[in-house]
Amino acid sequence: MAEELLPDLYLIRIPLPGSPLGWVNSYVIKGIDRNLVIDTGLNRRECLEAMHVGLGEIEVDLKRTDFYITHMHADHIGLVPRLVEDTSIVYINRPDKEYMEFMENGGGWEAITGFARLNGFPAKELQAALSNHPGYKYGTEVIPETSAVEEGDTFRYGGYCFRAISTPGHTKGHSCLYEPAKKVLVSGDHILFDITPNITCWTREGNPLKSYIASLDKIYSLHVDQVLPGHRRLSGNCRNRINELKGHHRSRLEEALSILKQGPKSAYEVASMMTWDIDCDSWEAFPASQKWFATGEAIAHLRYLEESGQVFSENKAGSIVFNNAIVGP
């Protein structure tokens, strides 16, 4: 079902069966000559059916439709190859485009799982975590041909002129769309209201949490009356939510530091002692896929603490172990 939010701008909720996210908010801008679909859902029958129903209700011709993908995660790009026509242009930020091409050329998942083992993720649980990872199960069958988006690029559809804003953190190249005249922000997974975006790290390079906080500050400076997020509820004050998200990560960093005061630990061990909003009685009861996301988030926070000099890491018996660098109680 398509819901008109603003003139010629529609919301189609694309279901994500079995996912705690519930659904993806796919936005459609109808224009006289061309239409734009922003984010699509997983490569699943349920997603495809919901998209076709919504597009049919507002009479969108896919032959006159382009696609803007806020970031490379499968719940946002997975359905694209089943929707594009020869006349379509698929836009995505350059860093995510380059990473998808790297993954398509092989070795990507192997490198990620190897880094997970290095950070304490048990080898016996890795296959279960990978098998149930949405990006692995429901990603694109074929990486579509894409056009790289750069900071400041503009997109004119249906009386709107959106500007691309680079907001790395959730992924290396995540980008939002901002319409300054109408003060509308399509935030993807950069700003969500009911849940906090997952900030993870699965490589030796980069500081995703530092990038994410800087990206939040960039958006804070904009005048935004309406946020259109990638999941869940649409209503909320942009600047208030940014303050809440930054506070959430401050608490996460403090929690990780407190855990390391008990002694050196791997990222997996730190994750097992952090608090998570998951309906499980113990870490052992967590599904392997949730342990995966939790461990990735723990690595991101430990990386931030390490680069700020508050913890240090060392390699012990082939595993990365983190230590509290601050002396005192």
Side-chain angles (χ1 to χ4, degrees), residues 104-120:
E104 188 179 31
N105 290 331
W109 285 108
E110 184 178 343
I112 292 171
T113 54
F115 190 69
R117 285 194 298 271
L118 193 61
N119 279 276

Side-chain angles (χ1 to χ4, degrees), residues 95-113:
D96 282 5
K97 171 184 169 68
E98 292 174 349
Y99 188 76
M100 288 192 303
E101 291 168 351
F102 164 74
M103 293 288 283
E104 188 179 31
N105 290 331
W109 285 108
E110 184 178 343
I112 292 171
T113 54

Side-chain angles (χ1 to χ4, degrees), residues 61-200:
D61 180 1
L62 285 173
K63 293 185 182 299
R64 297 191 301 108
T65 299
D66 300 323
F67 298 84
Y68 186 97
I69 308 302
T70 57
H71 62 291
M72 67 180 188
H73 288 161
D75 53 334
H76 293 257
I77 196 173
L79 199 58
V80 167
R82 302 175 72 174
L83 298 171
V84 292
E85 299 284 348
D86 292 340
T87 52
S88 301
I89 302 174
V90 181
Y91 299 100
I92 190 168
N93 64 82
R94 184 175 297 279
D96 282 5
K97 171 184 169 68
E98 292 174 349
Y99 188 76
M100 288 192 303
E101 291 168 351
F102 164 74
M103 293 288 283
E104 188 179 31
N105 290 331
W109 285 108
E110 184 178 343
I112 292 171
T113 54
F115 190 69
R117 285 194 298 271
L118 193 61
N119 279 276
F121 205 97
K124 64 181 180 181
E125 294 189 68
L126 268 176
Q127 187 55 51
L130 187 62
S131 298
N132 290 291
H133 191 292
Y136 189 80
K137 289 179 68 176
Y138 303 115
T140 57
E141 294 172 340
V142 178
I143 299 295
E145 183 178 347
T146 56
S147 177
V149 174
E150 309 287 357
E151 172 93 12
D153 285 353
T154 56
F155 301 86
R156 298 178 182 274
Y157 293 85
Y160 296 87
C161 182
F162 280 97
R163 184 175 81 240
I165 300 178
S166 178
T167 51
H170 183 62
T171 66
K172 188 176 181 179
H174 188 291
S175 63
C176 298
L177 286 175
Y178 176 58
E179 222 293 1
K182 298 176 174 60
K183 298 182 176 59
V184 174
L185 176 76
V186 181
S187 67
D189 283 4
H190 182 55
I191 296 173
L192 304 173
F193 289 104
D194 293 330
I195 52 178
T196 55
N198 190 230
I199 310 301
T200 61

